[in-house]
Amino acid sequence: MSRSPGPAVSPRTPRPVLRLALAQGPAGLPASREAALTALDSAAERAAAGGAALLVGSELSLTGYVLGDRVPDLAEPADGPTDRAVARIAARHGVAIAHGRPELSGEGIHNTVRLTGPDGVTLAEYRKTHLYGEWERKVFVPGDRPVVAAELNGLRVGLLICYDVEFPEAVRAHALAGTELLLVPTALMAPHAFVARHLVPVRAAENGMYVAYANRCGAEGDLRFTGLSCLAAPDGSVPARAGEGEELLFAEVDPQAPAAARRITPYLEDRRPDLYGHDPAPSTA
């Protein structure tokens, strides 16, 4: 199949490139909330020094993933002490931060990621909608908002968590709502490395968006996390890929790339939802 670059568009002032950092941290439960925040502060300092405007952590980045029955003890309400401390870290270093933690609400406990701006102001908060495995379904209440997104440096930035990205409908809903950069904190374990290596780049290509996939590494309890954090581009390429060890991975997002990819391969325009029997609802924050 021949793919042309699409029709010419009127020139306009290009939006600046967004440099981000993915914190592929070691597995394990931090010794304390203070220890977790100290590690985050160090990562934010290094991210800012490397020119990053955004730092993305892994799933449940501030508590560890294999929590057993400790989740109720670690859960905090939104805007609790941990969120306020993260806001101070973001403002101190002038870098936006996506961090994960168990969130206590009137409905129960959610697996939540919060995006905080470089001024310490909350931009978005997303509760994981697709819970993975018996343990997650036992301790967490699933979220019910499929699309949560915010503007950051002129980009439409959306949020999902780990297993969510493995559902094509979840990512397509973001694409239909205009998401250009999708942040996916994750805790991908062996033997599922194909998700990081193959599925994530496919999700990026079929939706014409960037996908920033930030994983853990090493062993935690009976699980071993694969690492392999990456930034997948709208054309399906992977301009930045981590190895299997601890790493602060830097990558750049070109704001012009999503629109260019969608012109070259117009999946969104050429869909036939009348044949599929359903269509992801593009509800937004």
Side-chain angles (χ1 to χ4, degrees):
M1 177 176 62
S2 174
R3 303 192 183 195
S4 69
V9 295
S10 300
R12 60 181 179 178
T13 303
R15 291 178 289 170
V17 167
L18 172 72
R19 186 167 171 83
L20 57 78
L22 305 180
Q24 182 166 288
L29 184 69
S32 65
R33 183 174 71 91
E34 290 71 25
L37 291 169
T38 296
L40 177 64
D41 186 72
S42 175
E45 182 178 26
R46 288 182 287 136
L54 169 63
L55 172 66
V56 185
S58 60
E59 181 177 8
L60 298 174
S61 58
L62 294 184
T63 60
Y65 180 81
V66 184
L67 301 176
D69 59 3
R70 297 192 58 186
V71 173
D73 298 329
L74 296 167
E76 294 181 10
D79 297 314
T82 296
D83 286 342
R84 293 197 299 271
V86 173
R88 291 191 293 272
I89 291 171
R92 179 160 58 249
H93 299 292
V95 60
I97 297 175
H99 75 281
R101 80 278 190 249
E103 179 211 351
L104 182 64
S105 77
E107 303 168 348
I109 300 174
H110 300 276
N111 183 338
T112 299
V113 59
R114 172 175 281 212
L115 177 62
T116 302
D119 54 0
V121 174
T122 300
L123 298 178
E125 186 166 77
Y126 170 77
R127 296 167 171 175
K128 189 174 185 178
T129 55
H130 300 83
L131 300 179
Y132 177 78
E134 181 179 351
W135 176 74
E136 284 195 18
R137 289 192 289 268
K138 177 181 177 182
V139 300
F140 294 117
V141 176
D144 59 6
R145 296 176 63 192
V147 176
V148 173
E151 297 292 325
L152 178 66
N153 287 34
L155 274 170
R156 187 71 172 167
V157 179
L159 300 170
L160 290 179
I161 300 175
C162 197
Y163 195 39
D164 290 325
V165 80
E166 298 177 39
F167 292 81
E169 301 89 346
V171 186
R172 180 52 52 85
H174 267 279
L176 294 175
T179 294
E180 298 168 292
L181 168 61
L182 185 62
L183 309 183
V184 187
T186 192
L188 182 72
M189 69 284 291
H192 306 298
F194 74 92
V195 173
R197 292 191 185 279
H198 305 295
L199 188 147
V200 169
V202 168
R203 288 286 176 272
E206 67 191 6
N207 291 287
M209 65 170 63
Y210 282 97
V211 179
Y213 192 74
N215 197 17
R216 300 181 172 281
C217 59
E220 185 175 335
D222 295 331
L223 302 180
R224 176 166 291 278
F225 298 100
T226 63
L228 303 176
S229 299
C230 67
L231 178 70
D235 62 0
S237 64
V238 181
R241 167 82 72 188
E244 297 180 359
E246 186 175 356
E247 185 173 346
L248 187 64
L249 179 69
F250 288 89
E252 293 188 343
V253 171
D254 177 0
Q256 281 66 242
R262 291 169 183 176
R263 286 196 304 271
I264 294 171
T265 308
Y267 289 127
L268 302 184
E269 293 181 14
D270 291 345
R271 294 178 313 115
R272 293 286 309 277
D274 56 307
L275 301 180
Y276 313 148
H278 73 283
D279 201 17
S283 59
T284 62

